[in-house]
Amino acid sequence: MLRYVWNGKVVQAMDEETLRSGVDTAGGAIRRTVLGWQDRLHKAFLPSPKDVTDDYWEWLQWRLTQRFFSSTMQNLSTQSMLMALGLGAKKSIAAGAAINWLLKDGVGRIARMTVATNFCQSFDSDLKRIRYVTSLVFEATIGCEFLTPFFPQHFLALASVANVGKAIALSAFVAVQPAFQKAMCSGGNLADLAAKNQAQHMVVDMLALAVSAAFMYTVRNSERARMVVPLLAFPLLAAADIWSVYHEIKAIQLKVLNRERAEMVADRWLAEGARHMPTAAQISADERLLLPQDICGGFMPLAITSVDQLVRSPSDLPPLRPYDRELYLMAMQLPVDHASTSSAQPASINGQSAAAAARGGGFRAPWAPPPQPQLCMCLNEDATSADIFKAVLEATHLRRALRAQLEAKLGRQLPEAVRDGGAVVRAGGGGTGAAAGASPPPPPLRGAQLWAAAGPLMTQAELDRFAHDARAKAAANLPRFLEQLHESGWKTKTFLLSTSEKQRYVCVGGSKKER
């Protein structure tokens, strides 16, 4: 805490320790000078703790670490390309080297423009995955620059591939960085946060430049070493870079929900008996950056799509009548195999008939997992975030209830020894006991495996009953769900959708038409 004191000339702010040690002593003056410089540096490079969220500081550590490794790697790759141009100059004029450099930059600019114009609308809905995937692209392609000294005759091809990867990564970084900063900005000082981030980058870039220059200075007398050493350093720098990117992204706690985060929240909320809402920190810790989220063991994934994926003929409309009063439609698309094995005919739920599913069927690779149901949802043009949350709740209720029913049906079909996880029935005793050396119970079946094993045992009446119950439970739980979301810090006024998820339908004269 600082106190304002009068030193005989002006009013100054001093901390209590300086006041105790003496204002007019030499030590007190030095301390005031040091604290003054510390305060200036802090204000120049770091925001006030009250203006940012708690996750900002962990993010900043990994962000600057990643920047250092990335800058060092790019400095060494540039050195490799300059060497390649020098080696190529033995066989071509210097003007040719300049043209090659300009051409590879032009290819990179075209790639950056393509990414920005074709994928920009999908960035907001999946910020973390886009940032991580494009970072992997960057690491994979920048290695081409380290190869240019060994293949100077292919400089343009190698440098162009690297520039395309760097352009993709840069486009994604520039697009998602403001969204990350906005998520961590609690004081409305977004411009100040962005400016300080630029200053932090400049300091780290200068440090990386010094390290790179010192690194190359040690091998200045050997042309072979100047070619080989950067190439050997590349895997280490790339690994450190992508590791830092991973932790940087994981440190960010996004409080605006997209489809995957909303499904994770709803599934955990119901698993806790609708009493405890998971926090943004918990979801961020378990959120996957590369593969899809493993929700309910991968059973019956949800997709937000266009209405033509649900309604492919007039015969598909009548089963959708339960959604006449809703601002969304939902249907479970059953695998084609179910129509031929299930005792229920036609195999459908909420509008997706077996014939429609068959029209969507096609070749399946031998290594592909067995088919399973997929929940498809499309939104009305007037649907709000509350309607989307309700649909996600309905999908979660339906998924959990069907999985429990399938596991129960599968358990009744298995031998008792297998069903009891390795226990055997005692002969004549009527009880069960663990057999010596009995193997542990097998892990639970994943979504596609569970449906392949027990899906044909489901009847149409059971599917319809579970769908009806899921709609009723979602409607009953929605107010409490939204209230607990708000209390846990989640933002419920906005729901992030990708370009394909934004395709909505309108109702005209009782018919449904896609907008």
Side-chain angles (χ1 to χ4, degrees):
M1 179 183 296
L2 298 178
R3 293 190 178 185
Y4 290 97
V5 297
W6 173 256
N7 67 354
K9 296 180 180 179
V10 295
V11 176
Q12 287 185 332
M14 297 183 182
D15 63 288
E16 295 181 356
E17 186 173 348
T18 301
L19 290 173
R20 287 194 300 268
S21 63
V23 177
D24 297 328
T25 63
I30 294 175
R31 180 177 177 80
R32 288 199 307 274
T33 302
V34 172
L35 290 177
W37 278 107
Q38 287 181 350
D39 184 61
R40 291 187 184 96
L41 288 174
H42 188 282
K43 291 180 178 178
F45 291 99
L46 297 174
S48 173
K50 64 182 180 180
D51 290 334
V52 293
T53 56
D54 293 338
D55 55 331
Y56 173 81
W57 305 106
E58 182 183 356
W59 169 84
L60 181 62
Q61 295 174 14
W62 287 108
R63 175 77 201 107
L64 298 183
T65 302
Q66 184 272 330
R67 183 76 180 194
F68 171 78
F69 287 117
S70 178
S71 295
T72 304
M73 183 165 53
Q74 292 186 69
N75 291 335
L76 294 179
S77 68
T78 301
Q79 171 70 22
S80 297
M81 287 195 297
L82 292 175
M83 283 197 63
L85 289 176
L87 294 173
K90 299 176 182 178
K91 301 180 181 179
S92 62
I93 60 175
I99 292 174
N100 280 343
W101 194 276
L102 293 175
L103 285 176
K104 65 98 178 175
D105 282 349
V107 172
R109 288 187 173 92
I110 293 174
R112 185 174 178 182
M113 178 186 65
T114 302
V115 172
T117 55
N118 287 278
F119 303 101
C120 56
Q121 293 187 11
S122 297
F123 284 171
D124 285 311
S125 65
D126 212 353
L127 295 170
K128 292 187 175 184
R129 182 171 286 119
I130 287 174
R131 170 79 170 100
Y132 190 65
V133 170
T134 54
S135 296
L136 293 176
V137 173
F138 171 80
E139 308 298 342
T141 54
I142 197 174
C144 294
E145 293 186 351
F146 290 89
L147 295 175
T148 52
F150 301 93
F151 307 98
Q153 68 275 20
H154 301 299
F155 173 85
L156 181 58
L158 292 172
S160 296
V161 170
N163 250 30
V164 168
K166 290 196 290 187
I168 292 173
L170 181 60
S171 297
F173 173 77
V174 171
V176 304
Q177 192 71 0
F180 287 156
Q181 292 175 344
K182 183 179 179 181
M184 295 179 289
C185 177
S186 60
N189 58 327
L190 183 58
D192 176 60
L193 204 64
K196 284 181 168 55
N197 194 231
Q198 291 297 316
Q200 296 159 2
H201 286 178
M202 293 304 103
V203 172
V204 174
D205 287 346
M206 288 188 289
L207 178 61
L209 181 61
V211 171
S212 304
F215 190 73
M216 295 306 298
Y217 183 79
T218 59
V219 294
R220 65 189 183 281
N221 296 323
S222 172
E223 181 177 293
R224 186 67 179 175
R226 294 202 306 271
M227 295 171 56
V228 174
V229 171
L231 182 61
L232 296 178
F234 165 66
L236 300 177
L237 293 172
D241 186 33
I242 201 63
W243 180 252
S244 301
V245 170
Y246 176 83
H247 284 283
E248 169 198 340
I249 299 173
K250 294 290 286 184
I252 303 171
Q253 300 174 14
L254 297 178
K255 296 178 175 63
V256 182
L257 293 168
N258 60 3
R259 178 187 57 79
E260 287 189 348
R261 284 193 292 274
E263 286 190 86
M264 293 174 68
V265 168
D267 187 70
R268 296 192 179 191
W269 186 67
L270 292 180
E272 294 288 337
R275 293 187 301 270
H276 303 290
M277 181 65 65
T279 64
Q282 293 171 330
I283 296 300
S284 178
D286 296 334
E287 198 172 10
R288 291 183 174 182
L289 300 182
L290 191 59
L291 299 175
Q293 301 299 329
D294 186 22
I295 301 170
C296 200
F299 178 65
M300 205 163 63
L302 173 67
I304 303 177
T305 183
S306 57
V307 73
D308 62 316
Q309 298 299 315
L310 304 184
V311 182
R312 305 191 184 189
S313 69
S315 62
D316 295 329
L317 283 173
L320 292 173
R321 289 298 180 190
Y323 293 95
D324 282 348
R325 297 181 181 273
E326 303 290 350
L327 294 178
Y328 65 90
L329 300 174
M330 185 177 295
M332 186 174 73
Q333 295 182 336
L334 298 173
V336 179
D337 296 343
H338 184 82
S340 60
T341 57
S342 175
S343 59
Q345 295 292 339
S348 66
I349 184 169
N350 292 350
Q352 183 61 36
S353 64
R359 288 195 297 271
F363 172 76
R364 181 166 60 89
W367 58 84
Q372 66 161 322
Q374 180 184 24
L375 282 173
C376 290
M377 175 180 71
C378 55
L379 302 171
N380 187 281
E381 65 169 351
D382 297 323
T384 64
S385 58
D387 296 303
I388 304 177
F389 284 126
K390 182 179 180 180
V392 171
L393 265 181
E394 178 183 336
T396 307
H397 274 295
L398 181 58
R399 179 189 296 127
R400 293 177 64 86
L402 277 180
R403 182 177 180 89
Q405 179 70 4
L406 289 174
E407 289 175 341
K409 284 180 174 290
L410 183 61
R412 289 194 294 268
Q413 295 293 321
L414 293 175
E416 187 170 358
V418 176
R419 198 165 63 241
D420 292 340
V424 296
V425 181
R426 293 179 180 173
T432 61
S439 60
L445 295 177
R446 296 194 55 78
Q449 298 169 330
L450 179 61
W451 180 262
L457 304 176
M458 293 292 294
T459 65
Q460 184 62 50
E462 289 177 307
L463 293 176
D464 292 340
R465 176 169 55 84
F466 282 120
H468 179 271
D469 291 345
R471 285 194 301 272
K473 290 179 180 178
N477 291 336
L478 181 62
R480 183 170 47 164
F481 181 72
L482 294 176
E483 180 183 359
Q484 293 189 21
L485 275 177
H486 181 72
E487 292 175 351
S488 299
W490 295 102
K491 297 180 180 180
T492 58
K493 298 298 183 182
T494 305
F495 197 98
L496 300 176
L497 299 171
S498 66
T499 303
S500 60
E501 293 173 342
K502 292 178 181 177
Q503 300 184 53
R504 305 198 177 197
Y505 67 88
V506 295
C507 295
V508 181
S511 62
K512 294 179 170 38
K513 184 182 299 184
E514 189 173 353
R515 185 171 65 179

Short mmCIF file of all heavy atoms in Angstrom, two decimals, residues 36 44 50 53 95 130 147 175 189 200 205 220 313 417 441:
data_model
loop_
_atom_site.label_atom_id
_atom_site.label_comp_id
_atom_site.label_asym_id
_atom_site.label_seq_id
_atom_site.Cartn_x
_atom_site.Cartn_y
_atom_site.Cartn_z
N GLY A 36 10.42 2.92 -8.58
CA GLY A 36 9.85 3.72 -9.67
C GLY A 36 10.05 3.08 -11.02
O GLY A 36 9.14 3.04 -11.86
N ALA A 44 4.32 -0.57 -18.45
CA ALA A 44 4.62 -0.59 -19.88
C ALA A 44 4.35 -1.95 -20.51
O ALA A 44 3.91 -2.02 -21.68
CB ALA A 44 6.07 -0.18 -20.12
N LYS A 50 -6.31 -6.41 -11.88
CA LYS A 50 -7.76 -6.27 -11.77
C LYS A 50 -8.43 -6.13 -13.13
O LYS A 50 -9.66 -6.20 -13.22
CB LYS A 50 -8.11 -5.06 -10.90
CG LYS A 50 -7.66 -3.72 -11.48
CD LYS A 50 -7.99 -2.57 -10.55
CE LYS A 50 -7.54 -1.23 -11.14
NZ LYS A 50 -7.86 -0.11 -10.23
N THR A 53 -8.46 -11.62 -16.29
CA THR A 53 -8.92 -12.78 -15.54
C THR A 53 -7.72 -13.57 -15.00
O THR A 53 -6.58 -13.35 -15.41
CB THR A 53 -9.78 -13.69 -16.43
OG1 THR A 53 -9.03 -14.06 -17.60
CG2 THR A 53 -11.04 -12.97 -16.87
N ALA A 95 19.77 -11.95 -59.80
CA ALA A 95 18.39 -11.55 -60.06
C ALA A 95 17.44 -12.73 -59.95
O ALA A 95 16.30 -12.59 -59.50
CB ALA A 95 18.27 -10.92 -61.44
N ILE A 130 -8.72 -24.60 -34.03
CA ILE A 130 -8.16 -23.96 -35.22
C ILE A 130 -6.75 -23.47 -34.95
O ILE A 130 -5.83 -23.64 -35.76
CB ILE A 130 -9.08 -22.81 -35.68
CG1 ILE A 130 -10.35 -23.37 -36.31
CG2 ILE A 130 -8.36 -21.90 -36.67
CD1 ILE A 130 -11.38 -22.34 -36.66
N LEU A 147 15.53 -27.39 -45.32
CA LEU A 147 16.05 -28.30 -46.34
C LEU A 147 16.59 -27.57 -47.56
O LEU A 147 17.26 -28.18 -48.40
CB LEU A 147 14.95 -29.27 -46.78
CG LEU A 147 14.43 -30.24 -45.73
CD1 LEU A 147 13.26 -31.05 -46.29
CD2 LEU A 147 15.53 -31.19 -45.26
N ALA A 175 -6.54 -14.06 -36.51
CA ALA A 175 -7.99 -14.09 -36.36
C ALA A 175 -8.43 -14.45 -34.95
O ALA A 175 -9.38 -13.87 -34.42
CB ALA A 175 -8.59 -15.07 -37.37
N ASN A 189 -10.38 -3.15 -21.20
CA ASN A 189 -9.15 -2.53 -21.73
C ASN A 189 -8.52 -3.41 -22.81
O ASN A 189 -7.34 -3.73 -22.75
CB ASN A 189 -8.15 -2.29 -20.60
CG ASN A 189 -7.79 -3.57 -19.86
OD1 ASN A 189 -8.62 -4.47 -19.72
ND2 ASN A 189 -6.55 -3.66 -19.40
N GLN A 200 5.44 -7.07 -25.44
CA GLN A 200 6.02 -8.31 -24.91
C GLN A 200 6.65 -9.12 -26.04
O GLN A 200 7.75 -9.69 -25.89
CB GLN A 200 4.94 -9.13 -24.20
CG GLN A 200 4.37 -8.45 -22.97
CD GLN A 200 3.01 -9.01 -22.59
OE1 GLN A 200 2.50 -9.94 -23.23
NE2 GLN A 200 2.41 -8.45 -21.55
N ASP A 205 11.18 -11.35 -29.13
CA ASP A 205 11.77 -11.48 -30.45
C ASP A 205 13.24 -11.03 -30.46
O ASP A 205 14.08 -11.65 -31.12
CB ASP A 205 10.97 -10.67 -31.47
CG ASP A 205 9.63 -11.31 -31.80
OD1 ASP A 205 9.45 -12.49 -31.45
OD2 ASP A 205 8.77 -10.62 -32.39
N ARG A 220 30.37 -20.16 -37.58
CA ARG A 220 30.58 -19.26 -38.71
C ARG A 220 31.69 -19.72 -39.65
O ARG A 220 31.69 -19.35 -40.83
CB ARG A 220 30.90 -17.85 -38.20
CG ARG A 220 32.21 -17.76 -37.43
CD ARG A 220 32.38 -16.41 -36.76
NE ARG A 220 33.66 -16.29 -36.06
CZ ARG A 220 33.92 -16.82 -34.89
NH1 ARG A 220 32.97 -17.51 -34.24
NH2 ARG A 220 35.12 -16.66 -34.33
N SER A 313 -37.84 -36.03 -48.05
CA SER A 313 -39.05 -36.30 -48.82
C SER A 313 -40.24 -35.92 -47.95
O SER A 313 -40.12 -35.80 -46.73
CB SER A 313 -39.12 -37.78 -49.22
OG SER A 313 -39.34 -38.59 -48.09
N ALA A 417 -21.71 -65.37 -16.36
CA ALA A 417 -20.32 -65.25 -15.93
C ALA A 417 -19.68 -64.00 -16.51
O ALA A 417 -18.93 -63.30 -15.85
CB ALA A 417 -19.53 -66.49 -16.35
N PRO A 441 -13.28 -57.27 -15.30
CA PRO A 441 -14.36 -57.03 -16.26
C PRO A 441 -13.84 -56.25 -17.46
O PRO A 441 -12.94 -55.41 -17.33
CB PRO A 441 -15.37 -56.20 -15.47
CG PRO A 441 -14.59 -55.60 -14.35
CD PRO A 441 -13.54 -56.59 -14.02
#
